[in-house]
Structures are given as structure tokens and as C-alpha cells.
Amino acid sequence: MQTQQDLRFTEGPLPPDATSQAYSVRDIVRLDDEAMIWSESNAASRMESIMPVAALVMLCIAIGLGYMGVMVTLEPTLSIAMRVFASASAGLSAAALTAIAFLCIKLSIGSKQSDLHFFRKSRKVFCVVDGRHCLLDWNNVRPYARVGYGMVQFGAPLMMALDLMEIYPEAPETWRLRFTVDGPLPDREACQQSWESIRRYMDEAPEAMPATFVVDPSHWTTSLLERGPLSAGGAGKEMIERIRAMNWNVFAVPQYLGNVLLWLIFWPEPMSQMLYARFKRPVAPTMDLLASNSTRGRSEHYSILRSSPEDIAGRRKAALQVAVVCSFSCLISLIGWSFIIYSLVFLRS
């Protein structure tokens, strides 16, 4: 049993031509004979989405410190030395918080992530990872199963991720560039399935691709569901399956009902993620790369699934639940925290 467990989480290269089912946890936002585009992983955008709220909090604290500094300066009962020290400390703290707020805004607006582009005709793979433009030559790409994905959380199950690496043809044991394209994945076999979905698109006929939903990233239901506060860093497909099984009653799933309790306390996180998912635009490929690939190809040869009227209505119902419950939770939390702050600052005896 121990040997079997170890094999499931063995890190290393994957067979490039193994027969396996094709599946990925990433949403596909475009599929045609020119390009297949996987949506940006939410793992990075969750941190980026909280930055505007953090900046707002920092600015509010800075204004409060500035106000307190002015009031202390005008307090006649304090000595001159105490008034100078207090006002200088408040001013420096306010300036530092303002600088941090500016940095938060810069980190948020200056997104350093992109969707994952597979260009079938030009045989290229493009992605922006942490601000670095990564362009792979598909002819030299090899799959690699890596243990671990994202930040390590205490008590969390062991996860894996699929990396793509471009090797040197004259030295196959050495890679030139490597980055993660899919995760978190439950085991090595899931990495193999993700690679298979990529390989079938790049190397085989369109008929080899499995039936696939193409997600509209600009739709408001996508922002609230696949990329919203319940998406768990990219597990949008799993979430949709859970709530579909519950007749699109989102909070009938205990896992999501528990999130409401967190929203009542940490209200900025879900609100900022809803807004950020709706209005954020990933980094686009370079102009020279786009020039060699059409912005829209023919997709009639691919088996693209269409949502049924029941699914469309169900998604709207689920998205509305998330929006209403999240908004009310955030409003209640904001009122509660405002009362606490008001009591501490203005109702002091």
C-alpha cells in the first residue's frame, strides 16, 4: 500500500505519448484551429484582488493618524516636546502607510499574470508568470509532474502540478525554460490527463479533443462563479459540478455555507475578488506573437458543448445567490467593524 501511495505522488518527467483520458481543472476560454486558451489561474489573482482594499485601509489609517497628529499638536495641556514628538511620529507613520498603499495599488493594477496560450499553427506556448514572458517551442516541450502547488497549508492533502519545460534538443537532460500550467491536481495521473488534453490539441486532429465547454470570461456569472470568491484558487469546474448536483442552490453545499461566516469577519476578500474578477484583464501576448496568429480561428471541427437553457438559468440563480449573500455579509461586517472603530476612537471615556 505504501508503494502504491508513493507511486501516485512520484515527481518526475511524464511519458509524452501515454494513452490517458484528457482533462484539466483550468477553464478553456477559447478553442479553435488557431489557439487554445486556458484561463488564468486564480491563485495569483486572489492576492492581487485584495490589494486595492488593503490600500484603502492603509489610506484610512494614514488619514486617522494625520488627524490625531494635528489634534495632539493643538492640545495646550501637553508640553512642546511631547507635541513635536507625537506630531512627527504621526506624520512619519502616515507617510509610510501612504507609500505602502501606493505599492499595493501598483501591484494590483500592474497584473503580472496572463492566460495560457497554446498556438497550434505556430507551435508556440505563451504565458506570463510573475511578470516574466515565457515562450516555449512546442517541438521541444516535455511534461513534468511536480509535487506541491501554491503555498503549503498545514493539514492539507498532498497536491501535484503539471509543469511544461522546454529542453535543449542537443542536451535533452537540460531544460531552458519551465513553468506550471495546471494545478492543484490530486495525483500523477491527473497530471498525465492534463498533459494529454494539451498534446491532443497541439499534435492531433480536432476530433481527438474531448467534448469541452468554452467559458466566457467577460460574463458576470463567470466572475461570480468560476473566478469569484468561491472558486478556491481555480477549482471552478469542481464547484460548478457540486452546485449543479444541488439544483444550483449554492449554500446547500456545507463547504460554501461555512464561507459565509468568514465573509462576516473578513468582508474585503470576497467583495474585492468579485469586483476584480469582473474588471481585471490578463496580460496579452506580445504584438509580434499575435501578428503570426489569427485572433479568431474556425471552431466548427471541435466538439464544443453548449449550455442548456436549464444550465443557463441555474448559473444565473447561483451567481445571484453569491452576489446577494456576499454583499449582505460584507455590509453587515462593515457596519460592525465601523461601530467597533467608532467606539474605540470617539467614545473613549
Side-chain angles (χ1 to χ4, degrees), residues 6-7 98 154 200 268:
D6 291 343
L7 291 177
T98 302
F154 179 76
R200 288 191 189 184

Side-chain angles (χ1 to χ4, degrees), residues 203-221:
D203 289 340
E204 297 187 5
E207 293 76 13
M209 289 288 293
T212 306
F213 279 104
V214 175
V215 177
D216 180 4
S218 63
H219 200 278
W220 68 278
T221 60

